[in-house]
Structures are given as structure tokens and as C-alpha cells.
């Protein structure tokens, strides 16, 4: 028997192989069509987003994310910086100065008063600068308790 270069397969096997080829071709066409449809949908979505006006979003809470949509250095950035907010993507709110409340007075024998705060210990005398509390305006002893008045509040001696 001559099969002219084709492998000899029983008739039943040839039919199964033909079915597998047809099924594979159908799957290839379906995947190609799905890819073309996804590309078309992406193009339509991008076109729709570019054609929209740049108005504010209409759902609540998104205004907090608008910091990412602002151009760098624009009017919104200047307004944010004036309010103490860093408009960059890693924005933060500037830490508040604790003022005089961050300090406690300690009596140091021989040297006078010492103010102890978050940045260390400082000698207290009129005109001295305390970081975060400003200049010392007055030093008084009231009823045996030291009191220091600064530009940003009053510091009392620890009991």
C-alpha cells in the first residue's frame, strides 16, 4: 500500500487528529479576537479620558487624592505650601512647635535654672533662646517656685 509520504494512521485516529487541529485553530482565532477587542476597548477608554474636562471629581473623599493630579509648582501647590502642606507625592504636614509646654525647669545648684526639653538642656536667663519656645522674657520666683516666661508661653519648675 502506498500512502505517498503520509504516515499510516488508522481512519479513526486521523479523524481525531483533524478534530484537534480544527479545535486548535478555533481557539487561536478566539484568542486573537479577544486581544483585538481588548486593544479597541483600551483605545476607546483612553480617548474618553482625554476628551473629558478637568473638573473636580464628583464623589466624596477623592479631594484628598487630588494632590497627585496637580501640576508641580502650579497655583494649588503655592496655596498648599502657604498652608504648611507639602504638595509633593510624599507630602506631609509640618510638625507643630511644642512651644514652652515642651520644657520643664530644673534647679541646678551653682548655675541657676536649666530648662530641659526635647532638644536638650539649656541655661535659663533673660534673652536666652529656647528652641521652639523662643526668647526668655522674664525669670521669676513666685512662692518658692520658679517661673520662666518665653515668647511662646510659660515654663514652670518641676515639683
Amino acid at each position: 500500500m502506498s500512502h505517498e509520504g503520509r504516515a499510516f494512521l488508522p481512519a479513526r485516529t486521523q479523524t481525531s487528529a483533524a478534530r484537534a487541529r480544527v479545535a486548535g485553530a478555533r481557539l487561536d482565532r478566539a484568542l486573537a479576537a479577544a486581544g483585538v477587542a481588548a486593544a479597541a476597548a483600551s483605545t476607546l477608554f483612553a480617548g474618553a479620558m482625554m476628551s473629558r474636562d478637568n473638573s473636580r471629581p464628583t464623589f466624596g473623599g477623592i479631594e484628598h487624592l487630588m494632590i497627585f493630579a496637580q501640576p508641580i509648582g502650579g497655583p494649588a501647590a503655592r496655596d498648599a505650601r502657604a498652608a504648611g502642606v507639602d504638595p509633593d507625592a510624599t507630602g506631609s504636614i509640618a510638625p507643630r512647635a511644642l512651644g514652652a509646654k515642651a520644657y520643664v525647669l530644673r534647679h541646678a545648684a551653682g548655675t541657676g535654672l536649666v530648662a530641659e526639653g526635647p532638644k536638650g538642656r539649656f541655661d535659663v536667663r533673660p534673652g536666652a533662646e529656647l528652641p521652639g519656645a523662643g526668647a526668655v522674657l522674664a525669670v521669676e520666683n513666685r512662692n518658692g517656685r520658679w517661673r520662666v516666661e518665653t515668647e511662646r508661653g510659660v515654663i514652670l519648675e518641676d515639683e
Side-chain angles (χ1 to χ4, degrees):
M1 288 185 156
S2 172
H3 295 287
E4 300 175 16
R6 287 192 247 169
F8 175 75
L9 296 172
R12 191 172 174 195
T13 307
Q14 286 179 351
T15 307
S16 296
R19 283 187 202 147
R21 277 194 308 275
V22 170
R26 284 184 186 154
L27 180 62
D28 286 344
R29 281 192 297 272
L31 288 174
V36 169
S42 299
T43 303
L44 289 173
F45 179 74
M49 291 296 106
M50 288 189 299
S51 67
R52 287 182 59 197
D53 64 345
N54 289 328
S55 63
R56 294 276 181 201
T58 57
F59 52 93
I62 194 67
E63 63 272 5
H64 302 294
L65 297 176
M66 288 303 295
I67 194 168
F68 299 109
Q70 300 298 325
I72 295 174
R78 284 191 296 274
D79 293 344
R81 280 194 175 86
V85 176
D86 182 2
D88 295 332
T90 56
S92 62
I93 297 173
R96 291 189 177 152
L98 295 174
K101 292 180 182 180
Y103 286 91
V104 176
L105 284 180
R106 308 272 188 223
H107 184 72
T111 61
L113 291 176
V114 173
E116 187 176 329
K119 296 196 178 207
R121 293 178 175 210
F122 300 90
D123 288 334
V124 176
R125 63 188 178 289
E129 279 289 323
L130 297 179
V136 174
L137 303 175
V139 179
E140 316 175 316
N141 189 336
R142 289 191 182 175
N143 299 325
R145 195 163 176 218
W146 287 100
R147 180 181 187 276
V148 174
E149 188 176 332
T150 70
E151 291 175 323
R152 295 191 183 103
V154 176
I155 306 170
L156 299 174
E157 183 178 14
D158 193 28
E159 295 184 276

